[in-house]
Every structure is written in structure tokens, then in C-alpha cells.
Amino acid sequence: MGLDQLIEKCKTNNTKAQGEIYKLFANKLFSVCLKYSRNYTEAEDNLQDAFLVIFDKMHAFKHQGSFEGWLKRIVINTVLQRYRKEKVFDIISENTIQDVEIDIEENSISIDYLLHIVQQLPDRYRMVFNLYVLDGFSHKEVAEKLKISIGTSKSNLARARQVLKRTIENYTEKQTLNPYNGKPKTY
């Protein structure tokens, strides 16, 4: 059965078709959830919540544009909605701080470690960082999605970059000082 047929069957609440859609896209969408979540368990919860929304809104998909892109937008919006309810985007300060560039030596830090340190960012920093840097939204779009000002978006991005830069510098310094510190740490 083709994707278009599966989509149409999902619109009639066919659980077998929903299961197939889940199998086809769960891994890709989980990586999106993982990027926006604090940890693995929260990402699993976010994925389940997102699929409930996806199946509830399946009738709204009109076969225009990428189905995967449509799914990804729902996942991101579902996760952001969860954080809006938790009020993690309350404004602390809109003072724009100097933007920071992060230089990472190729092969010096694993992708798993980078994901780990992004997940450790405060929620408001992580959301802005992911939307702006990883998903390519403009500050205006980030501000609209998170219901914050453009200045707050810019400030939160700069702060996220500062935190990441310090964490990476500390990590690489430790690796340089003691590259064989016993057991390798995995993330």
C-alpha cells in the first residue's frame, strides 16, 4: 500500500494504517523530539503526544507539499505547546548580549555529546537554539512560534550559544589535559 493510500485510510481512523504511518516515520520524528526535549524519556512522551495530534489532524493534510514536512511541523508545534503550558518562555530580560561563535574541531566532540549538551540547556534557550540554528527559522518566526519578542529570541539564542561554548571549552580542555581518563564517557 502506498503512502497516499495509508494517509487516506488514516483519515478514516484505520488503526492498521496508523500503525504503518507510525512505523514509517517514528524514528525520524523521534530525532526531532529528542532535539527539543530535555531527555530521552521526555522525547518519547513528546513523540506519543505528537502522533495523537497527527492522527487527530490527518484530515487536514491535503497532499500539498511534503507529508514528512507536515509531520515535522506538527511535532515541533506539539512540543512547543507543551513548553508554553509550562511557562518556560517567561521573559527574564530582553537585553541583547553579544553573539558568540562556537568553533568545534572536527571529530573532537561526538554528535551524541552535542545532543546531550543541547538537551541540558534551559528550555527557553534550547527551543530558540533548535528553531533558529537547527531548523532554520528566522527570529521573527521563532518569536511568533514561542509567543515572545524578537529581542527575546535573539537574546536567548546568544545566551544558548554562550552556555554551549563554555561547556564545549570545558570538555575539550578536560580532554586535552587528560585524554586517557580511564573509562570513555558515552552519551
Side-chain angles (χ1 to χ4, degrees), residues 31 34-35 110-120:
S31 67
L34 200 53
K35 199 168 57 169
S110 73
I111 293 294
D112 289 339
Y113 181 70
L114 287 173
L115 176 60
H116 173 74
I117 63 174
V118 168
Q119 286 176 325
Q120 300 310 305

Side-chain angles (χ1 to χ4, degrees), residues 77-123:
N77 288 332
T78 301
V79 174
L80 295 179
Q81 184 64 33
R82 177 183 200 166
Y83 288 112
R84 272 191 227 108
K85 287 179 185 173
E86 293 178 13
K87 306 235 186 268
V88 299
F89 300 115
D90 289 345
I91 296 173
I92 293 173
S93 171
E94 284 192 26
N95 297 334
T96 303
I97 55 180
Q98 185 178 357
D99 205 3
V100 175
E101 287 297 318
I102 303 172
D103 293 325
I104 300 174
E105 221 176 279
E106 201 170 317
N107 298 326
S108 67
I109 297 178
S110 73
I111 293 294
D112 289 339
Y113 181 70
L114 287 173
L115 176 60
H116 173 74
I117 63 174
V118 168
Q119 286 176 325
Q120 300 310 305
L121 288 170
D123 295 331

